[in-house]
Amino acid sequence: MQKINNKLNLLRELMAQRSIQAYLVPHSDAHDSEYTSDSDERLAFISGFDGSAGIGLITNTIAYLWTDSRYYLQATKQLEHGWELQKLEPGVPTWVEHAKANLKGQAIGYDPLLISHQLKKTRGASLEDVEFKAINENLIDLIWTNKPQDSLSEVIIHELEYHQYPTTKKISQIFENLKQKQAKSILISKLDQIAWVLNLRGNDIKFNPLFKSYLYLKDDNTGTLFINPTKINQQVKQYLTENNIEIKSIQDVFNEKFINAAVTPAEINHRLIQQVEDPIVLNACPIELLKAIKNEREIQGFKESHIRDGAALVHYLGWLEKQLLDGEVLDEYQAATKLAQYRYKQSRNMGLSFDSISSSGANAAIVHYHPTENNKSIINPNHIYLIDSGGQYLDGTTDVTRTYHFTQPTVEERNAYTRVLLGNLDIERLKWPQKSKIHGGDIDVLARRWLWEANLDYGHGTGHGVGYFLNVHEGPHGISKYRTEVFQPGMIVSNEPGYYEEGKFGIRIENLILCVKVNNQFLGFENLTYCPYDRNLINLDLLSPRDRNYIDQYHALVRKTLLPLMEEQIAKDWLIKMTEPL
């Protein structure tokens, strides 16, 4: 116990020296990244909680962590002594409300690199009598012994053959979109935007092919990349020179003055915006939408990489079922490691797109659970097994969830599974008039209505955008009641309703779907994911003949597409068994 408290005690000493009564620790980095490098996992270091969303507030007496419903169970397990979980839900004060009530006349310190300019303005204004004080050195870093170093791995070129979208064309499209704003330059700090514009990829953040940097672009098609220069080899240097991009050290960005540059306050950190004189303020960075609408080559890549990824997944599932039914004892971590090996074997594979959520029984009810070497359970063949996983490929990024039961599921499990599946299919089968400008907020209810009919629901959104050999989560579109970005052909979104019974089981079924033109007037979705559903968990009584037929057609397509890629007899047998007509 003593050692755990020690970190908080050391932090409180530093707070006292700087005359602050509280310190804010967001789960973030200087680039507003959802997933951060090991060297930026400050919240995990100080609290023990390593989920991808959360914010810590340490006062002189207590430390609080705020996070959302995906992470309640995980946070309860992981938080160290001296910490208290605050749930982000109605009726529970947010950190701002807590500060206003308990820290009047006092000061909260924060690192301006880790807070966006917009957050600083809105939170600063709503804190009223509480001072929100920028402290340029990060206090967590000062007490973090053995802090991991930033990655020094080299940046690579994402070759034209995979996307047919040269950097010069991307830059002119960005400035085309900025015309109304009369912006002649733009300062970019989001790492996936920088990687996308420059057609470069890196290895600084696990599962995300990104490199820490800032990018300044001008409308004369020139620019500056601020990056650790040791990461740029001769070939990449040559490539950047050909694209009129000069290279400067990443720290130099804080010595430059950017006049009239376009910036997105929701993305740029509060420290960096100090370098911009008379900024042109954007509500949204134009790169987000350009990146979200995939071109023909990228769509082809998504389709092809999903077939290879489906082959890896089916090999794994056939292997897993046989092991379990033969009485082998396997834990969730061993299983996830085996799945990773099948993925690594696929051509053009560049690793995984996130930590595999390989979860048995009650663990499947923890939405963002992932087993580790030190925290895992044995896979019980008599319980539900949920696997949510994905791969990075030179020609796409995958994210797929399947839920199986290898023996005798309960009636409750079968009914819940079937209702989740029907919600998934109702999203996938939707068609709408293009002129209606339909967005994710309009359709989220379709994924839930079968569950609602049985008084069931789930606490997360239904879908997110996906990058192209980039982040597995991207915007601006998605499927949830909060999403307002209109669907356009070429957008890819996940479709992942679920149901979670705490302490018992969890169900999620996820495909990636592509927004397509059905005809001149209507849009719809096309499923890109190839992997059988679990016939064992389907309650046929809940299906209409149309539903049954639709699932049979999907299974026939999965069989026809993947069977030629099966290299192991076990996988072949499993695929044939799972894709028989219902």
Side-chain angles (χ1 to χ4, degrees):
M1 284 297 198
Q2 198 47 46
K3 180 173 174 291
I4 293 167
N5 272 329
N6 198 25
K7 290 189 289 200
L8 289 176
N9 291 343
L10 287 170
L11 180 60
R12 287 175 176 134
E13 282 171 27
L14 294 179
M15 285 159 49
Q17 289 165 19
R18 284 156 186 80
S19 311
I20 53 172
Q21 289 69 45
Y23 191 63
L24 196 67
V25 185
H27 180 277
S28 189
D29 63 9
H31 309 275
D32 188 39
S33 307
E34 176 185 12
Y35 297 102
T36 55
S37 68
D38 291 346
S39 54
D40 283 309
E41 287 287 344
R42 297 176 181 90
L43 186 58
F45 167 76
I46 195 71
S47 72
F49 168 72
D50 65 5
S52 70
I55 193 157
L57 183 69
I58 297 98
T59 69
N60 288 327
T61 50
I62 188 139
Y64 293 109
L65 170 86
W66 278 264
T67 189
D68 64 67
S69 65
R70 295 172 302 171
Y71 292 114
Y72 293 164
L73 296 176
Q74 180 179 336
T76 306
K77 272 188 175 178
Q78 291 183 332
L79 280 177
E80 293 172 2
H81 183 68
W83 282 83
E84 220 174 85
L85 171 64
Q86 298 291 314
K87 297 181 172 182
L88 277 176
E89 54 188 37
V92 180
T94 62
W95 73 264
V96 173
E97 291 162 347
H98 174 85
K100 273 162 65 173
N102 298 286
L103 297 169
K104 270 205 174 80
Q106 301 182 31
I108 299 176
Y110 71 95
D111 179 347
L113 277 176
L114 302 185
I115 298 270
S116 74
H117 178 59
Q118 183 165 306
L119 204 66
K120 157 70 177 92
K121 277 173 63 177
T122 56
R123 298 300 184 270
S126 46
L127 279 168
E128 293 168 6
D129 301 333
V130 183
E131 187 190 351
F132 201 31
K133 187 175 172 182
I135 294 175
N136 277 333
E137 51 191 345
N138 190 289
L139 301 191
I140 303 293
D141 291 355
L142 296 180
I143 60 170
W144 192 348
T145 44
N146 305 326
K147 182 177 191 277
Q149 294 297 303
D150 270 348
S151 154
L152 294 174
S153 63
E154 289 189 344
V155 169
I156 61 167
I157 298 169
H158 191 210
E159 299 292 353
L160 200 58
E161 62 176 291
Y162 296 117
H163 51 79
Q164 298 299 333
Y165 204 169
T167 286
T168 46
K169 184 177 171 188
K170 288 179 175 178
I171 294 174
S172 30
Q173 284 192 314
I174 291 166
F175 284 104
E176 191 57 42
N177 285 15
L178 287 172
K179 263 206 175 126
Q180 313 93 299
K181 292 275 189 185
Q182 298 180 316
K184 301 214 170 292
S185 64
I186 184 170
L187 183 59
I188 306 158
S189 61
K190 288 282 271 193
L191 302 182
D192 62 331
Q193 294 175 4
I194 295 171
W196 180 85
V197 173
L198 297 178
N199 291 321
L200 295 176
R201 298 294 185 268
N203 205 4
D204 286 8
I205 298 178
K206 218 175 164 190
F207 313 119
N208 299 260
L210 309 172
F211 47 93
K212 289 188 179 180
S213 54
Y214 299 97
L215 179 63
Y216 178 61
L217 296 174
K218 298 202 290 208
D219 68 351
D220 61 2
N221 257 357
T222 64
T224 308
L225 177 65
F226 297 90
I227 188 170
N228 180 338
T230 58
K231 300 156 81 82
I232 304 286
N233 63 29
Q234 216 34 58
Q235 183 200 8
V236 174
K237 195 174 185 175
Q238 173 72 30
Y239 165 82
L240 286 169
T241 305
E242 286 163 13
N243 282 285
N244 300 314
I245 305 288
E246 66 169 332
I247 300 161
K248 288 191 178 178
S249 169
I250 190 159
Q251 282 311 319
D252 287 350
V253 78
F254 299 106
N255 305 324
E256 299 269 333
K257 272 289 173 232
F258 305 98
I259 318 285
N260 292 135
V263 294
T264 313
E267 296 172 354
I268 194 164
N269 68 60
H270 185 60
R271 170 77 187 77
L272 183 57
I273 207 161
Q274 313 302 321
Q275 306 307 119
V276 186
E277 278 179 24
D278 301 323
I280 293 173
V281 173
L282 307 174
N283 290 328
C285 179
I287 298 169
E288 283 296 284
L289 194 54
L290 289 170
K291 176 163 59 67
I293 298 171
K294 313 304 184 219
N295 67 20
E296 276 178 38
R297 176 63 188 94
E298 290 168 326
I299 290 168
Q300 179 199 338
F302 261 106
K303 289 180 176 178
E304 291 171 1
S305 58
H306 270 80
I307 292 170
R308 299 193 300 275
D309 197 70
L313 197 50
V314 167
H315 274 97
Y316 164 72
L317 290 162
W319 169 84
L320 179 67
E321 182 180 88
K322 182 162 187 352
Q323 295 286 309
L324 294 173
L325 297 183
D326 285 352
E328 290 291 330
V329 176
L330 275 178
D331 67 52
E332 300 158 328
Y333 184 74
Q334 285 172 299
T337 306
K338 182 74 172 179
L339 171 57
Q341 287 163 0
Y342 279 119
R343 276 204 167 94
Y344 299 153
K345 278 187 199 165
Q346 301 301 319
S347 71
R348 300 179 179 173
N349 179 268
M350 300 297 284
L352 306 182
S353 55
F354 56 97
D355 253 322
S356 297
I357 300 172
S358 164
S359 51
S360 175
N363 289 342
I366 305 173
V367 179
H368 277 217
Y369 171 84
H370 65 91
T372 61
E373 237 168 322
N374 309 317
N375 178 36
K376 62 199 176 190
S377 301
I378 298 297
I379 298 174
N380 183 339
N382 301 313
H383 291 169
I384 267 183
Y385 175 73
L386 183 155
I387 176 71
D388 182 348
S389 65
Q392 290 286 9
Y393 298 87
L394 287 168
D395 55 352
T397 299
T398 68
D399 182 2
V400 46
T401 310
R402 288 293 182 267
T403 306
Y404 297 99
H405 199 301
F406 300 111
T407 54
Q408 279 302 301
T410 65
V411 174
E412 181 193 13
E413 288 167 337
R414 293 182 71 215
N415 286 343
Y417 180 91
T418 309
R419 288 178 185 280
V420 169
L421 178 58
L422 285 167
N424 176 294
L425 298 181
D426 279 358
I427 293 272
E428 183 185 314
R429 294 182 287 196
L430 184 67
K431 292 193 293 198
W432 65 94
Q434 185 162 9
K435 66 173 195 296
S436 301
K437 294 192 158 47
I438 294 296
H439 55 64
D442 296 321
I443 67 174
D444 181 70
V445 57
L446 289 176
R448 300 174 192 269
R449 68 183 183 122
W450 291 98
L451 287 163
W452 286 358
E453 196 178 75
N455 303 316
L456 309 176
D457 194 18
Y458 53 95
H460 55 77
T462 302
H464 54 81
V466 180
Y468 184 70
F469 181 30
L470 265 180
N471 296 4
V472 74
H473 292 165
E474 70 170 27
H477 61 292
I479 304 173
S480 87
K481 64 179 180 184
Y482 307 110
R483 291 285 186 173
T484 56
E485 186 69 43
V486 171
F487 284 119
Q488 298 185 48
M491 285 180 167
I492 288 171
V493 68
S494 71
N495 173 16
E496 48 181 312
Y499 175 68
Y500 311 93
E501 189 73 54
E502 191 178 332
K504 289 168 94 176
F505 64 86
I507 293 161
R508 189 162 59 256
I509 301 170
E510 173 184 21
N511 300 319
L512 296 192
I513 53 180
L514 166 71
C515 180
V516 293
K517 264 184 171 334
V518 177
N519 58 32
N520 284 337
Q521 272 123 26
F522 274 72
L523 299 181
F525 291 118
E526 179 187 326
N527 186 359
L528 302 176
T529 302
Y530 293 89
C531 187
Y533 303 123
D534 190 4
R535 314 159 47 83
N536 193 23
L537 275 167
I538 293 175
N539 175 356
L540 292 176
D541 296 339
L542 288 174
L543 301 186
S544 69
R546 175 176 172 257
D547 298 326
R548 200 184 274 215
N549 186 36
Y550 193 83
I551 294 167
D552 283 345
Q553 281 180 332
Y554 173 69
H555 279 157
L557 177 68
V558 170
R559 179 190 288 194
K560 185 180 152 206
T561 309
L562 297 185
L563 204 54
L565 303 176
M566 294 299 106
E567 291 171 358
E568 297 169 13
Q569 192 58 44
I570 299 166
K572 212 174 265 186
D573 295 345
W574 186 84
L575 178 61
I576 289 169
K577 176 184 82 168
M578 295 301 279
T579 52
E580 286 294 315
L582 290 173

